[in-house]
């Protein structure tokens, strides 16, 4: 698609990194270490919030190096990371003088796009969401995410199936060292999310891994219940999988009834978007001109403009300063 969701792409890269890492643990193929480092580098280049996966991969590789008594795992994974992440680091350094912008602004400065006060206000705003940061509330997260999704800046509810099946995952992890290792990664990420920023989409990078371990635990539970009768086990697993897909299929059906079928041609696509974003037709005309002569400050239509886009919740054309200046033409 012309427009992609960076949290989804970052989550995909993060899961791929862990997948490659677990492959190395079982196969000892060095290319898996390189791929794991590269995928976490791609993830960081896409969405810096997934930086929580960097210590996970780093500690795992250090453990492999200690266990094997050689440094090869370190430089192989490091080479993959450097190759994938270095373009984004160089770009951030060029524009902001901070390779991990907007992190570590206390070390590198806030750069030309944000003031220190604005950065501080972001941290304050993020902490307004969620529930009080106590151990009890952390243990109750599977319930709270479902029952009070609105507290985490989310209009869509968290998966009931993942919450209900969490005790099954925990029980299986006690007896399975591989599942236990993946469970530690999930708990680490969820813990950092809980104490740093309780916004639902920030939890997204760990959800694919949680789905994976849940699938393993459900399969184990079905096999145990069927006592080795393979045909019954496969049939029951298929039924459970289809049942877990039902909420998504139901949501897709509802969206299709409300919005209509997804567009399959260019003209159909333009009509589909214009029906929901009134300013789209103006943007399409501006983008079709030989050379856009101005920069755009906007919100919903930003992804559909081919010129220079200015405007977001931060930066030199942030929504706040522009909206505040509307009453004064000279200031605007």
């Amino acid at each position: 698609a012309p427009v992609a969701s960076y949290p989804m792409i970052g989550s995909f890269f993060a899961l791929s990194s862990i997948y490659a890492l677990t492959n190395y643990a079982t196969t000892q193929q060095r290319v898996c270490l390189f791929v794991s480092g590269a995928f976490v580098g791609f993830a960081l280049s896409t969405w810096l919030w997934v930086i929580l996966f960097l210590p996970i991969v780093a500690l795992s590789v250090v453990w492999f190096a200690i266990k094997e008594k050689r440094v090869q795992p370190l430089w192989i994974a490091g080479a993959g990371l450097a190759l994938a992440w270095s373009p984004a680091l160089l770009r951030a350094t060029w524009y902001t003088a901070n390779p991990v912008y907007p992190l570590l602004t206390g070390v590198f400065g806030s750069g030309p796009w944000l003031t220190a006060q604005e950065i501080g206000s972001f941290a304050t705003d993020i902490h307004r969401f969620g529930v009080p940061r106590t151990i009890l509330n952390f243990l109750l997260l599977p319930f709270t995410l479902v029952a009070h999704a609105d507290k985490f800046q989310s209009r869509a509810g968290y998966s009931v199936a993942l919450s209900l099946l969490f005790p099954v995952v925990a029980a299986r992890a006690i007896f399975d060292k591989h599942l236990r290792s993946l469970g530690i990664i999930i708990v680490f990420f969820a813990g950092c999310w809980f104490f740093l920023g309780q916004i639902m989409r920030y939890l997204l990078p760990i959800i694919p891994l949680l789905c994976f371990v849940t699938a393993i635990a459900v399969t184990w539970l079905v096999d145990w219940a069927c006592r080795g009768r393979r045909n019954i086990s496969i049939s029951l697993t298929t039924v459970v999988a289809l049942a877990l897909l039902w909420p998504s299929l139901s949501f897709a059906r509802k969206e299709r009834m409300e919005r209509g079928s997804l567009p399959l041609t260019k003209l159909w696509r333009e009509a589909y978007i214009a029906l929901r974003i009134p300013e789209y037709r103006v943007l399409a005309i501006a983008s079709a001109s030989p050379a856009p002569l101005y920069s755009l400050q906007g919100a919903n239509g930003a992804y559909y403009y081919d010129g220079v886009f200015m405007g977001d919740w931060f930066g030199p054309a942030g929504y706040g300063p522009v909206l505040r200046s509307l009453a004064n033409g000279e200031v605007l």
Side-chain angles (χ1 to χ4, degrees):
V3 180
S5 171
Y6 64 89
M8 296 293 288
I9 298 173
S11 302
F12 166 75
F13 284 140
L15 175 67
S16 300
S17 177
I18 300 301
Y19 178 73
L21 204 62
T22 55
N23 272 342
Y24 178 77
T26 54
T27 66
Q28 301 299 306
Q29 293 182 349
R30 298 301 169 87
V31 69
C32 292
L33 283 177
F34 181 85
V35 169
S36 179
F39 270 129
V40 81
F42 288 139
L44 290 166
S45 300
T46 306
W47 188 21
L48 203 54
W49 174 252
V50 297
I51 200 168
L52 296 174
F53 281 87
L54 187 58
I56 294 171
V57 174
L59 288 174
S60 300
V61 173
V62 168
W63 165 251
F64 292 140
I66 294 173
K67 188 177 179 181
E68 297 173 17
K69 297 181 179 179
R70 47 185 167 184
V71 297
Q72 272 188 321
L74 297 176
W75 69 259
I76 292 175
L81 175 66
L83 184 66
W85 196 15
S86 57
L89 294 175
L90 292 172
R91 181 178 184 275
T93 303
W94 174 265
Y95 284 108
T96 70
N98 180 354
V100 290
Y101 185 84
L103 302 179
L104 300 181
T105 52
V107 177
F108 296 100
S110 56
W113 310 112
L114 289 172
T115 65
Q117 291 78 10
E118 286 175 320
I119 293 175
S121 69
F122 292 154
T124 302
D125 289 342
I126 288 175
H127 277 79
R128 288 193 295 107
F129 299 102
V131 295
R133 289 155 174 79
T134 65
I135 299 299
L136 178 60
N137 282 335
F138 180 68
L139 296 176
L140 292 175
L141 261 184
F143 167 78
T144 312
L145 286 169
V146 172
H148 304 289
D150 57 305
K151 291 181 179 290
F152 305 98
Q153 201 191 28
S154 175
R155 290 178 294 176
Y158 183 78
S159 170
V160 177
L162 287 179
S163 291
L164 291 177
L165 292 169
F166 187 78
V168 178
V169 176
R172 180 55 183 164
I174 296 173
F175 305 101
D176 188 320
K177 67 176 183 179
H178 298 295
L179 203 62
R180 191 160 57 248
S181 299
L182 297 176
I184 291 172
I185 294 174
I186 293 171
V187 171
F188 169 77
F189 188 97
C192 293
W193 171 87
F194 182 79
F195 289 101
L196 293 176
Q198 296 178 29
I199 294 177
M200 188 74 82
R201 69 186 179 95
Y202 291 175
L203 194 60
L204 188 63
I206 204 64
I207 299 300
L209 187 59
L210 181 56
C211 291
F212 182 71
V213 298
T214 302
I216 294 174
V218 168
T219 304
W220 162 75
L221 182 63
V222 171
D223 287 343
W224 174 81
C226 294
R227 308 293 184 183
R229 288 170 288 187
R230 186 165 178 78
N231 290 336
I232 298 177
S233 176
I234 292 174
S235 300
L236 189 55
T237 301
T238 302
V239 170
V240 172
L242 292 175
L244 293 178
L245 282 174
W246 173 251
S248 296
L249 295 174
S250 178
F251 174 80
R253 180 176 177 274
K254 179 182 176 183
E255 288 289 296
R256 188 172 184 271
M257 291 176 64
E258 292 181 357
R259 298 173 178 266
S261 302
L262 290 175
L264 301 177
T265 65
K266 183 178 179 181
L267 292 177
W268 187 1
R269 173 180 178 269
E270 290 179 351
Y272 183 91
I273 298 172
L275 191 63
R276 290 153 187 82
I277 304 178
E279 60 268 31
Y280 174 74
R281 294 192 186 279
V282 177
L283 299 180
I285 294 171
S287 298
S289 63
L293 301 177
Y294 57 89
S295 296
L296 174 75
Q297 202 279 347
N300 288 338
Y303 292 110
Y304 307 107
Y305 183 65
D306 293 335
V308 175
F309 171 72
M310 300 175 69
D312 207 317
W313 296 109
F314 50 84
Y319 300 143
V322 173
L323 293 175
R324 286 193 296 270
S325 68
L326 289 178
N328 187 315
E330 184 178 355
V331 174
L332 180 61

